[in-house]
Amino acid sequence: MSSPPFIDPESRELDLAQVRAEIFPLAGLIVLFEGAALLLFLITLLVAGNSLLGGVLTVISQFILAVGTGIVLMYVVARGIQLADG
């Protein structure tokens, strides 16, 4: 029987090296989508303001956050399935 993910098989304690190895790709995805949405939102604040363009850019930045959230969740589920299979 294989050991559970993130557990060191010898000591039966939390495997911090594996946790760190999984954190960096996940954090990269989060920073990617957050940065793209933040960039659009800052452009909206600095340039467009309360115009129609500002509203459109705000909706686009919210869409980027929604899509990014979905992609991050799909990554987490897929990676969890990979880790559970061994």
Side-chain angles (χ1 to χ4, degrees):
M1 179 177 175
S2 65
S3 67
F6 305 110
I7 302 296
D8 187 17
E10 289 93 31
S11 65
R12 306 298 294 167
E13 293 179 359
L14 190 62
D15 186 2
L16 294 178
Q18 187 179 11
V19 171
R20 270 187 242 112
E22 295 297 328
I23 284 175
F24 291 121
L26 182 61
L29 276 174
I30 292 170
V31 167
L32 173 72
F33 288 108
E34 181 182 309
L38 183 62
L39 179 65
L40 270 178
F41 190 68
L42 287 175
I43 290 171
T44 302
L45 287 177
L46 297 175
V47 177
N50 288 331
S51 65
L52 179 62
L53 178 63
V56 170
L57 289 176
T58 301
V59 169
I60 292 172
S61 67
Q62 294 295 316
F63 181 74
I64 290 171
L65 287 175
V67 169
T69 301
I71 290 174
V72 167
L73 287 174
M74 286 189 298
Y75 173 80
V76 167
V77 169
R79 191 65 185 131
I81 290 171
Q82 288 176 348
L83 289 172
D85 288 342

